[in-house]
Amino acid sequence: MFGIGSTELLIILVVALIVIGPSKLPDIMRTLGKGMAEFRRMSTDVKSTLEAEVDRADREQRQAEAKKELYPEKAAEAAPAQPAATVAEAAPAGKQSPSA
């Protein structure tokens, strides 16, 4: 757990017992445990959502490639034409092209 050994954990608990006091320590530990459980739940949810989105994007890409292989003439028509880069887009950031 975070690279903390049993000796270090025991020292932290003793210091917490002295600083916080024996009456409030169980409540604080319970609150800390609930917070850690909620954090784990949220991180698992974010991870599963991210994996689902990556899978969806991969599936869409494979479908587009399959359509392109099956219907090459339609893929050429459906592809949007890329506009030519303007002078302002081609100029490096922070430098403006002379317009005068």
Coordinates of all heavy atoms in Angstrom, one line a residue:
M1 N 0.8 -1.2 0.0 CA 0.0 0.0 0.0 C 0.9 1.2 0.0 O 1.4 1.6 1.0 CB -0.9 0.0 1.2 CG -1.9 1.1 1.3 SD -3.1 0.9 2.6 CE -2.4 1.9 3.9
F2 N 1.1 1.9 -1.1 CA 1.9 3.1 -1.3 C 3.3 2.9 -0.9 O 4.0 3.9 -0.5 CB 1.2 4.3 -0.6 CG -0.2 4.5 -0.9 CD1 -1.2 4.4 0.0 CD2 -0.5 4.9 -2.2 CE1 -2.5 4.6 -0.3 CE2 -1.9 5.1 -2.6 CZ -2.9 5.0 -1.6
G3 N 3.8 1.7 -0.8 CA 5.2 1.5 -0.4 C 5.5 1.8 1.1 O 6.6 2.0 1.5
I4 N 4.4 1.7 1.9 CA 4.5 1.9 3.4 C 4.6 0.6 4.0 O 3.7 -0.3 3.9 CB 3.4 2.7 3.9 CG1 3.3 4.1 3.3 CG2 3.5 2.9 5.4 CD1 2.1 5.0 3.7
G5 N 5.7 0.3 4.8 CA 5.8 -0.9 5.6 C 5.0 -0.9 6.8 O 4.3 0.1 7.2
S6 N 5.0 -2.1 7.5 CA 4.2 -2.2 8.7 C 4.7 -1.3 9.8 O 3.9 -0.8 10.6 CB 4.1 -3.7 9.1 OG 5.4 -4.2 9.4
T7 N 6.0 -1.1 9.9 CA 6.5 -0.3 11.0 C 6.1 1.2 10.8 O 5.7 1.8 11.7 CB 8.1 -0.4 11.0 OG1 8.5 -1.8 11.1 CG2 8.7 0.3 12.2
E8 N 6.2 1.6 9.5 CA 5.9 3.0 9.2 C 4.4 3.2 9.5 O 4.0 4.3 10.0 CB 6.2 3.4 7.8 CG 7.7 3.5 7.5 CD 8.3 2.2 7.0 OE1 7.5 1.2 6.9 OE2 9.5 2.2 6.7
L9 N 3.5 2.3 9.1 CA 2.1 2.4 9.3 C 1.8 2.4 10.8 O 0.9 3.2 11.3 CB 1.4 1.2 8.7 CG -0.1 1.2 8.7 CD1 -0.6 2.5 7.9 CD2 -0.7 0.0 8.0
L10 N 2.5 1.6 11.6 CA 2.3 1.6 13.1 C 2.7 3.0 13.7 O 1.9 3.5 14.5 CB 3.1 0.5 13.7 CG 2.9 0.3 15.2 CD1 1.5 0.0 15.6 CD2 3.9 -0.7 15.7
I11 N 3.8 3.6 13.2 CA 4.2 4.9 13.7 C 3.2 5.9 13.3 O 2.8 6.8 14.1 CB 5.6 5.2 13.2 CG1 6.6 4.3 13.8 CG2 5.9 6.7 13.4 CD1 8.0 4.4 13.2
I12 N 2.6 5.9 12.1 CA 1.6 6.9 11.7 C 0.4 6.7 12.5 O -0.2 7.7 12.9 CB 1.3 6.7 10.2 CG1 2.5 7.1 9.3 CG2 0.1 7.4 9.8 CD1 2.4 6.7 7.9
L13 N 0.0 5.5 12.8 CA -1.2 5.3 13.6 C -1.0 5.8 15.1 O -2.0 6.4 15.7 CB -1.6 3.8 13.6 CG -2.2 3.3 12.3 CD1 -2.5 1.8 12.4 CD2 -3.5 4.0 12.0
V14 N 0.1 5.6 15.6 CA 0.4 6.1 17.0 C 0.4 7.6 17.0 O -0.2 8.2 17.9 CB 1.8 5.5 17.5 CG1 2.2 6.2 18.8 CG2 1.7 4.0 17.7
V15 N 1.0 8.2 16.0 CA 1.0 9.7 16.0 C -0.4 10.2 15.8 O -0.8 11.2 16.5 CB 2.0 10.2 14.9 CG1 1.8 11.7 14.6 CG2 3.4 9.9 15.2
A16 N -1.2 9.6 15.0 CA -2.5 10.0 14.7 C -3.3 9.8 16.0 O -4.2 10.7 16.4 CB -3.2 9.2 13.6
L17 N -3.1 8.8 16.8 CA -3.8 8.5 18.0 C -3.5 9.6 19.0 O -4.4 10.1 19.7 CB -3.5 7.1 18.6 CG -4.2 6.7 19.9 CD1 -5.7 6.6 19.6 CD2 -3.6 5.4 20.3
I18 N -2.2 10.0 19.1 CA -1.8 11.1 20.0 C -2.4 12.4 19.6 O -2.9 13.2 20.4 CB -0.3 11.1 20.1 CG1 0.2 9.8 20.8 CG2 0.2 12.3 20.9 CD1 1.7 9.7 20.7
V19 N -2.3 12.8 18.3 CA -2.7 14.1 17.8 C -4.2 14.2 17.8 O -4.8 15.2 18.3 CB -2.1 14.3 16.4 CG1 -2.7 15.6 15.8 CG2 -0.6 14.4 16.4
I20 N -4.9 13.2 17.3 CA -6.4 13.3 17.1 C -7.1 12.9 18.4 O -8.1 13.5 18.7 CB -6.8 12.4 15.9 CG1 -6.2 13.0 14.6 CG2 -8.3 12.4 15.8 CD1 -6.4 12.1 13.4
G21 N -6.6 11.9 19.0 CA -7.2 11.4 20.3 C -8.0 10.2 20.0 O -8.5 9.9 18.9
P22 N -8.2 9.4 21.0 CA -8.8 8.1 20.8 C -10.3 8.2 20.5 O -10.9 7.2 20.0 CB -8.6 7.3 22.2 CG -8.3 8.4 23.2 CD -7.7 9.5 22.4
S23 N -11.0 9.3 20.9 CA -12.4 9.3 20.7 C -12.8 9.7 19.2 O -13.8 9.2 18.7 CB -13.0 10.4 21.6 OG -12.5 11.7 21.3
K24 N -11.9 10.4 18.5 CA -12.3 10.8 17.1 C -11.6 9.9 16.1 O -11.9 10.0 14.9 CB -11.8 12.3 16.9 CG -12.7 13.3 17.7 CD -12.3 14.7 17.3 CE -13.2 15.7 18.0 NZ -12.9 17.0 17.6
L25 N -10.6 9.2 16.5 CA -9.8 8.4 15.5 C -10.7 7.4 14.8 O -10.5 7.3 13.5 CB -8.6 7.7 16.2 CG -7.6 7.0 15.3 CD1 -7.0 8.0 14.4 CD2 -6.6 6.3 16.1
P26 N -11.6 6.6 15.4 CA -12.4 5.7 14.6 C -13.3 6.4 13.6 O -13.4 5.9 12.5 CB -13.3 5.0 15.7 CG -12.5 5.1 16.9 CD -11.8 6.4 16.8
D27 N -13.8 7.5 13.9 CA -14.6 8.3 13.0 C -13.8 8.7 11.8 O -14.2 8.7 10.6 CB -15.3 9.5 13.6 CG -16.4 9.1 14.7 OD1 -16.9 7.9 14.5 OD2 -16.6 9.8 15.6
I28 N -12.6 9.2 12.1 CA -11.8 9.7 11.0 C -11.3 8.6 10.1 O -11.3 8.7 8.9 CB -10.6 10.5 11.6 CG1 -11.1 11.8 12.2 CG2 -9.5 10.8 10.5 CD1 -10.0 12.6 12.9
M29 N -11.0 7.4 10.7 CA -10.5 6.3 9.9 C -11.7 5.7 9.1 O -11.5 5.4 7.9 CB -10.0 5.1 10.8 CG -8.8 5.5 11.6 SD -7.4 5.9 10.5 CE -7.0 4.3 10.0
R30 N -12.9 5.8 9.6 CA -14.1 5.3 8.8 C -14.3 6.2 7.6 O -14.6 5.8 6.5 CB -15.3 5.3 9.7 CG -16.5 4.6 9.1 CD -17.7 4.5 10.1 NE -17.3 3.9 11.4 CZ -17.3 4.4 12.6 NH1 -17.7 5.7 12.7 NH2 -16.9 3.8 13.6
T31 N -14.2 7.5 7.9 CA -14.4 8.5 6.8 C -13.3 8.4 5.8 O -13.6 8.4 4.5 CB -14.4 10.0 7.4 OG1 -15.4 10.1 8.4 CG2 -14.6 11.0 6.3
L32 N -12.1 8.1 6.2 CA -11.0 7.9 5.3 C -11.2 6.7 4.4 O -11.0 6.7 3.2 CB -9.7 7.8 6.0 CG -8.4 7.7 5.2 CD1 -8.2 8.9 4.3 CD2 -7.2 7.5 6.1
G33 N -11.7 5.6 5.0 CA -12.0 4.4 4.3 C -13.1 4.6 3.3 O -13.0 4.0 2.2
K34 N -14.1 5.3 3.7 CA -15.2 5.5 2.7 C -14.7 6.4 1.5 O -15.1 6.2 0.4 CB -16.4 6.3 3.4 CG -17.2 5.4 4.3 CD -18.3 6.2 5.0 CE -19.1 5.3 5.9 NZ -20.2 6.0 6.6
G35 N -13.9 7.4 1.8 CA -13.3 8.2 0.8 C -12.5 7.4 -0.2 O -12.5 7.6 -1.4
M36 N -11.6 6.5 0.4 CA -10.8 5.7 -0.5 C -11.6 4.7 -1.4 O -11.3 4.5 -2.5 CB -9.8 4.9 0.3 CG -8.7 5.8 0.9 SD -7.6 4.9 2.0 CE -6.7 3.8 0.8
A37 N -12.7 4.2 -0.8 CA -13.6 3.3 -1.5 C -14.3 4.0 -2.7 O -14.4 3.5 -3.8 CB -14.6 2.7 -0.6
E38 N -14.7 5.3 -2.4 CA -15.4 6.1 -3.4 C -14.4 6.4 -4.5 O -14.7 6.4 -5.7 CB -15.9 7.4 -2.8 CG -16.6 8.3 -3.8 CD -17.9 7.7 -4.3 OE1 -18.5 6.8 -3.7 OE2 -18.3 8.1 -5.4
F39 N -13.1 6.7 -4.2 CA -12.1 7.0 -5.1 C -11.8 5.8 -6.0 O -11.7 6.0 -7.3 CB -10.8 7.5 -4.5 CG -9.7 7.7 -5.4 CD1 -9.6 8.9 -6.1 CD2 -8.6 6.8 -5.6 CE1 -8.6 9.1 -7.0 CE2 -7.6 7.0 -6.4 CZ -7.6 8.2 -7.2
R40 N -11.8 4.6 -5.4 CA -11.6 3.4 -6.2 C -12.7 3.2 -7.2 O -12.5 2.8 -8.3 CB -11.4 2.2 -5.3 CG -10.0 1.8 -5.2 CD -10.0 0.4 -4.4 NE -9.0 0.7 -3.3 CZ -9.2 0.3 -2.1 NH1 -10.3 -0.4 -1.8 NH2 -8.3 0.5 -1.2
R41 N -13.9 3.4 -6.7 CA -15.1 3.2 -7.5 C -15.1 4.2 -8.7 O -15.4 3.8 -9.9 CB -16.4 3.5 -6.7 CG -17.5 2.6 -7.0 CD -18.6 2.7 -6.0 NE -17.9 3.0 -4.8 CZ -18.5 3.2 -3.6 NH1 -19.7 3.2 -3.4 NH2 -17.8 3.4 -2.5
M42 N -14.8 5.5 -8.4 CA -14.8 6.4 -9.5 C -13.6 6.1 -10.5 O -13.8 6.3 -11.7 CB -14.6 7.8 -8.9 CG -15.8 8.3 -8.3 SD -15.7 10.0 -7.4 CE -14.5 10.8 -8.2
S43 N -12.5 5.7 -10.1 CA -11.4 5.4 -11.0 C -11.7 4.2 -11.8 O -11.4 4.2 -13.0 CB -10.1 5.2 -10.2 OG -10.1 4.1 -9.4
T44 N -12.4 3.2 -11.3 CA -12.9 2.1 -12.1 C -13.9 2.5 -13.1 O -13.8 2.0 -14.3 CB -13.5 1.0 -11.1 OG1 -12.5 0.6 -10.2 CG2 -13.9 -0.2 -11.9
D45 N -14.8 3.4 -12.7 CA -15.8 3.9 -13.7 C -15.1 4.6 -14.8 O -15.5 4.5 -16.0 CB -16.8 4.8 -13.0 CG -17.9 5.2 -13.9 OD1 -18.4 4.4 -14.7 OD2 -18.3 6.4 -13.8
V46 N -14.2 5.5 -14.5 CA -13.4 6.3 -15.6 C -12.7 5.3 -16.5 O -12.7 5.5 -17.7 CB -12.5 7.3 -14.9 CG1 -11.5 7.9 -15.9 CG2 -13.3 8.4 -14.3
K47 N -12.1 4.3 -15.9 CA -11.3 3.3 -16.7 C -12.2 2.6 -17.6 O -11.9 2.4 -18.8 CB -10.6 2.4 -15.8 CG -9.7 1.4 -16.5 CD -9.0 0.4 -15.5 CE -8.2 -0.6 -16.2 NZ -7.6 -1.6 -15.2
S48 N -13.4 2.1 -17.1 CA -14.3 1.4 -18.0 C -14.9 2.3 -19.1 O -15.0 1.8 -20.2 CB -15.4 0.7 -17.2 OG -16.2 1.7 -16.6
T49 N -15.1 3.5 -18.8 CA -15.7 4.4 -19.8 C -14.6 4.7 -20.9 O -14.9 4.7 -22.0 CB -16.1 5.8 -19.1 OG1 -17.1 5.5 -18.1 CG2 -16.6 6.7 -20.1
L50 N -13.4 4.9 -20.4 CA -12.3 5.1 -21.4 C -12.1 3.9 -22.3 O -12.0 4.1 -23.5 CB -11.0 5.4 -20.7 CG -9.8 5.8 -21.5 CD1 -10.0 7.0 -22.3 CD2 -8.6 5.9 -20.7
E51 N -12.1 2.7 -21.7 CA -12.0 1.5 -22.5 C -13.1 1.3 -23.5 O -12.9 0.9 -24.7 CB -11.9 0.3 -21.6 CG -10.6 0.2 -20.9 CD -10.5 -1.0 -19.9 OE1 -11.6 -1.7 -19.7 OE2 -9.5 -1.2 -19.3
A52 N -14.3 1.7 -23.1 CA -15.5 1.6 -24.0 C -15.4 2.5 -25.1 O -15.7 2.2 -26.3 CB -16.8 1.8 -23.2
E53 N -14.9 3.8 -24.9 CA -14.7 4.7 -25.9 C -13.6 4.3 -26.9 O -13.8 4.5 -28.1 CB -14.4 6.1 -25.4 CG -15.6 6.8 -24.7 CD -16.8 7.0 -25.6 OE1 -16.5 7.5 -26.8 OE2 -17.9 6.7 -25.3
V54 N -12.6 3.8 -26.4 CA -11.5 3.3 -27.3 C -12.0 2.2 -28.2 O -11.7 2.1 -29.4 CB -10.2 2.9 -26.5 CG1 -9.2 2.1 -27.3 CG2 -9.6 4.1 -25.8
D55 N -12.7 1.2 -27.6 CA -13.3 0.1 -28.4 C -14.3 0.7 -29.4 O -14.3 0.2 -30.6 CB -14.0 -0.8 -27.4 CG -13.1 -1.6 -26.6 OD1 -11.9 -1.7 -26.9 OD2 -13.6 -2.2 -25.6
R56 N -15.1 1.6 -29.1 CA -16.0 2.2 -30.0 C -15.3 2.9 -31.2 O -15.6 2.7 -32.4 CB -17.0 3.2 -29.4 CG -18.1 3.8 -30.3 CD -18.9 4.8 -29.6 NE -18.1 6.0 -29.2 CZ -17.7 7.0 -30.0 NH1 -18.0 6.9 -31.3 NH2 -17.0 8.0 -29.6
A57 N -14.3 3.6 -30.9 CA -13.5 4.3 -31.9 C -12.8 3.3 -32.8 O -12.8 3.5 -34.1 CB -12.5 5.3 -31.3
D58 N -12.3 2.2 -32.2 CA -11.6 1.2 -33.0 C -12.6 0.5 -33.9 O -12.3 0.2 -35.1 CB -11.0 0.2 -32.1 CG -10.1 -0.8 -32.8 OD1 -9.4 -0.4 -33.8 OD2 -10.1 -2.0 -32.4
R59 N -13.8 0.2 -33.4 CA -14.8 -0.4 -34.2 C -15.3 0.4 -35.4 O -15.4 0.0 -36.5 CB -16.0 -0.8 -33.3 CG -17.1 -1.6 -34.0 CD -18.2 -2.1 -33.0 NE -18.8 -1.0 -32.3 CZ -18.6 -0.8 -31.0 NH1 -17.9 -1.6 -30.2 NH2 -19.2 0.3 -30.4
E60 N -15.4 1.7 -35.1 CA -15.8 2.7 -36.2 C -14.7 2.7 -37.3 O -15.0 2.8 -38.4 CB -16.1 4.0 -35.6 CG -17.4 4.1 -34.9 CD -17.6 5.5 -34.2 OE1 -16.7 6.4 -34.4 OE2 -18.7 5.7 -33.6
Q61 N -13.5 2.7 -36.8 CA -12.4 2.8 -37.8 C -12.3 1.5 -38.6 O -12.1 1.6 -39.9 CB -11.0 3.0 -37.0 CG -9.9 3.1 -38.0 CD -8.5 3.2 -37.2 OE1 -8.5 3.1 -36.0 NE2 -7.5 3.5 -37.9
R62 N -12.5 0.4 -38.0 CA -12.6 -0.9 -38.8 C -13.7 -0.9 -39.8 O -13.6 -1.4 -40.9 CB -12.6 -2.1 -37.8 CG -11.3 -2.4 -37.2 CD -11.3 -3.6 -36.4 NE -11.9 -3.3 -35.1 CZ -12.7 -4.0 -34.4 NH1 -13.1 -5.1 -34.8 NH2 -13.2 -3.5 -33.2
Q63 N -14.9 -0.4 -39.3 CA -16.1 -0.3 -40.2 C -15.8 0.6 -41.4 O -16.1 0.3 -42.6 CB -17.3 0.2 -39.5 CG -17.9 -0.8 -38.6 CD -19.1 -0.3 -37.8 OE1 -19.3 0.9 -37.8 NE2 -19.8 -1.2 -37.2
A64 N -15.1 1.7 -41.2 CA -14.8 2.7 -42.3 C -13.8 2.0 -43.2 O -13.9 2.2 -44.5 CB -14.2 3.9 -41.7
E65 N -12.8 1.3 -42.7 CA -11.9 0.6 -43.6 C -12.5 -0.5 -44.4 O -12.2 -0.7 -45.6 CB -10.7 0.0 -42.7 CG -9.8 1.1 -42.2 CD -8.8 0.5 -41.2 OE1 -8.8 -0.7 -41.0 OE2 -8.0 1.3 -40.7
A66 N -13.5 -1.2 -43.8 CA -14.2 -2.3 -44.5 C -15.0 -1.7 -45.6 O -15.1 -2.2 -46.7 CB -15.0 -3.1 -43.6
K67 N -15.7 -0.6 -45.4 CA -16.5 0.1 -46.4 C -15.6 0.6 -47.5 O -16.0 0.6 -48.7 CB -17.3 1.3 -45.8 CG -18.5 0.8 -45.0 CD -19.3 2.0 -44.5 CE -20.4 1.6 -43.6 NZ -21.2 2.7 -43.1
K68 N -14.4 1.1 -47.1 CA -13.5 1.6 -48.1 C -13.0 0.5 -49.1 O -12.9 0.7 -50.3 CB -12.3 2.3 -47.4 CG -11.4 3.0 -48.3 CD -10.3 3.7 -47.5 CE -9.4 4.5 -48.3 NZ -8.3 5.1 -47.5
E69 N -12.8 -0.7 -48.5 CA -12.4 -1.8 -49.3 C -13.5 -2.3 -50.2 O -13.3 -2.7 -51.3 CB -11.9 -2.9 -48.4 CG -10.5 -2.6 -47.8 CD -10.0 -3.8 -46.9 OE1 -10.6 -4.9 -47.0 OE2 -9.1 -3.6 -46.2
L70 N -14.7 -2.4 -49.6 CA -15.9 -2.9 -50.4 C -16.4 -1.9 -51.5 O -16.7 -2.4 -52.6 CB -17.0 -3.2 -49.4 CG -16.8 -4.4 -48.5 CD1 -17.9 -4.5 -47.5 CD2 -16.6 -5.7 -49.3
Y71 N -16.4 -0.7 -51.2 CA -16.9 0.4 -52.1 C -15.9 1.5 -52.3 O -16.0 2.6 -51.7 CB -18.2 0.9 -51.5 CG -19.2 -0.1 -51.2 CD1 -19.5 -0.3 -49.8 CD2 -19.9 -0.8 -52.1 CE1 -20.5 -1.3 -49.5 CE2 -20.8 -1.8 -51.8 CZ -21.1 -2.0 -50.5 OH -22.0 -2.9 -50.1
P72 N -14.8 1.2 -53.0 CA -13.8 2.3 -53.2 C -14.3 3.5 -53.9 O -13.8 4.6 -53.6 CB -12.7 1.6 -54.0 CG -13.3 0.4 -54.6 CD -14.5 0.0 -53.7
E73 N -15.2 3.4 -54.8 CA -15.7 4.6 -55.5 C -16.5 5.5 -54.6 O -16.5 6.7 -54.7 CB -16.5 4.2 -56.8 CG -17.8 3.4 -56.5 CD -17.5 1.9 -56.3 OE1 -16.4 1.4 -56.5 OE2 -18.5 1.3 -55.9
K74 N -17.3 4.9 -53.7 CA -18.1 5.6 -52.8 C -17.3 6.3 -51.7 O -17.6 7.4 -51.2 CB -19.2 4.8 -52.1 CG -20.3 4.4 -53.0 CD -21.4 3.6 -52.3 CE -22.5 3.2 -53.3 NZ -23.6 2.5 -52.6
A75 N -16.2 5.7 -51.3 CA -15.3 6.2 -50.3 C -14.6 7.5 -50.8 O -14.5 8.5 -50.1 CB -14.3 5.2 -49.9
A76 N -14.3 7.5 -52.1 CA -13.7 8.7 -52.7 C -14.7 9.9 -52.7 O -14.3 11.0 -52.5 CB -13.2 8.4 -54.1
E77 N -16.0 9.6 -53.0 CA -17.0 10.6 -53.0 C -17.3 11.1 -51.7 O -17.6 12.3 -51.5 CB -18.2 10.1 -53.7 CG -18.1 9.7 -55.2 CD -19.3 9.0 -55.7 OE1 -20.3 8.8 -55.0 OE2 -19.3 8.6 -56.9
A78 N -17.4 10.2 -50.7 CA -17.8 10.6 -49.3 C -16.7 11.3 -48.5 O -17.0 12.0 -47.6 CB -18.2 9.3 -48.5
A79 N -15.5 11.2 -49.0 CA -14.4 11.9 -48.2 C -14.5 13.4 -48.5 O -14.5 13.8 -49.6 CB -13.0 11.3 -48.7
P80 N -14.5 14.1 -47.4 CA -14.5 15.6 -47.6 C -13.2 16.1 -48.1 O -12.1 15.6 -47.8 CB -14.8 16.1 -46.2 CG -14.3 15.1 -45.3 CD -14.5 13.8 -46.0
A81 N -13.3 17.1 -49.0 CA -12.1 17.7 -49.6 C -11.4 18.5 -48.5 O -12.1 19.3 -47.8 CB -12.5 18.5 -50.8
Q82 N -10.1 18.4 -48.4 CA -9.4 19.2 -47.5 C -9.1 20.5 -48.1 O -8.5 20.6 -49.2 CB -8.0 18.5 -47.2 CG -8.2 17.1 -46.5 CD -8.8 17.3 -45.1 OE1 -8.6 18.3 -44.4 NE2 -9.5 16.3 -44.6
P83 N -9.4 21.6 -47.4 CA -9.1 23.0 -47.9 C -7.6 23.2 -47.9 O -6.9 22.7 -47.0 CB -9.9 23.9 -47.0 CG -10.1 23.1 -45.7 CD -10.1 21.7 -46.1
A84 N -7.2 24.0 -48.8 CA -5.8 24.4 -48.8 C -5.5 25.3 -47.6 O -6.3 26.1 -47.2 CB -5.4 25.1 -50.1
A85 N -4.3 25.1 -47.1 CA -3.9 25.9 -45.9 C -3.8 27.4 -46.3 O -3.2 27.7 -47.4 CB -2.6 25.4 -45.4
T86 N -4.3 28.2 -45.5 CA -4.2 29.7 -45.8 C -2.8 30.2 -45.3 O -2.1 29.5 -44.5 CB -5.3 30.5 -45.1 OG1 -5.2 30.3 -43.7 CG2 -6.7 30.0 -45.5
V87 N -2.5 31.4 -45.6 CA -1.2 31.9 -45.2 C -1.2 32.1 -43.7 O -0.2 31.8 -43.0 CB -1.0 33.3 -45.9 CG1 0.3 34.0 -45.4 CG2 -1.0 33.2 -47.4
A88 N -2.3 32.5 -43.0 CA -2.3 32.6 -41.6 C -2.1 31.3 -40.9 O -1.5 31.2 -39.9 CB -3.7 33.3 -41.2
E89 N -2.7 30.2 -41.4 CA -2.5 28.9 -40.8 C -1.1 28.4 -41.0 O -0.6 27.7 -40.2 CB -3.5 27.9 -41.4 CG -4.9 28.2 -41.1 CD -5.9 27.2 -41.8 OE1 -5.4 26.6 -42.8 OE2 -7.0 27.2 -41.5
A90 N -0.5 28.7 -42.1 CA 0.9 28.2 -42.4 C 1.9 29.0 -41.6 O 3.0 28.5 -41.4 CB 1.2 28.4 -43.9
A91 N 1.6 30.2 -41.1 CA 2.6 31.0 -40.4 C 2.8 30.4 -39.0 O 1.8 29.9 -38.4 CB 2.1 32.4 -40.2
P92 N 4.0 30.3 -38.4 CA 4.2 29.8 -37.1 C 3.4 30.6 -36.1 O 3.1 31.8 -36.3 CB 5.7 29.9 -36.9 CG 6.3 30.3 -38.2 CD 5.2 30.8 -39.1
A93 N 3.1 29.9 -35.0 CA 2.3 30.6 -33.9 C 3.2 31.7 -33.3 O 4.3 31.7 -33.1 CB 2.0 29.6 -32.8
G94 N 2.5 32.8 -33.1 CA 3.1 34.0 -32.5 C 3.6 35.0 -33.6 O 3.9 36.1 -33.3
K95 N 3.8 34.5 -34.8 CA 4.3 35.4 -35.9 C 3.1 35.6 -36.9 O 2.5 34.6 -37.3 CB 5.4 34.8 -36.6 CG 6.7 34.6 -35.7 CD 7.8 34.1 -36.5 CE 9.1 34.0 -35.6 NZ 10.2 33.4 -36.4
Q96 N 2.8 36.8 -37.2 CA 1.8 37.1 -38.2 C 2.4 37.4 -39.5 O 3.5 37.9 -39.6 CB 1.0 38.3 -37.7 CG 0.2 38.1 -36.4 CD -0.9 37.1 -36.6 OE1 -1.4 37.0 -37.6 NE2 -1.2 36.4 -35.5
S97 N 1.7 37.0 -40.5 CA 2.2 37.2 -41.9 C 2.0 38.7 -42.2 O 1.0 39.3 -41.8 CB 1.5 36.3 -42.9 OG 0.1 36.6 -42.9
P98 N 2.9 39.3 -43.0 CA 2.7 40.7 -43.3 C 1.5 40.9 -44.2 O 1.4 40.3 -45.3 CB 4.0 41.1 -44.0 CG 4.6 39.8 -44.5 CD 4.1 38.7 -43.5
S99 N 0.5 41.7 -43.8 CA -0.7 41.9 -44.6 C -0.7 43.3 -45.2 O -1.7 43.7 -45.8 CB -1.9 41.6 -43.7 OG -1.9 42.5 -42.6
A100 N 0.3 44.1 -45.0 CA 0.3 45.5 -45.5 C 1.0 45.6 -46.8 O 1.8 44.8 -47.2 CB 0.9 46.4 -44.5

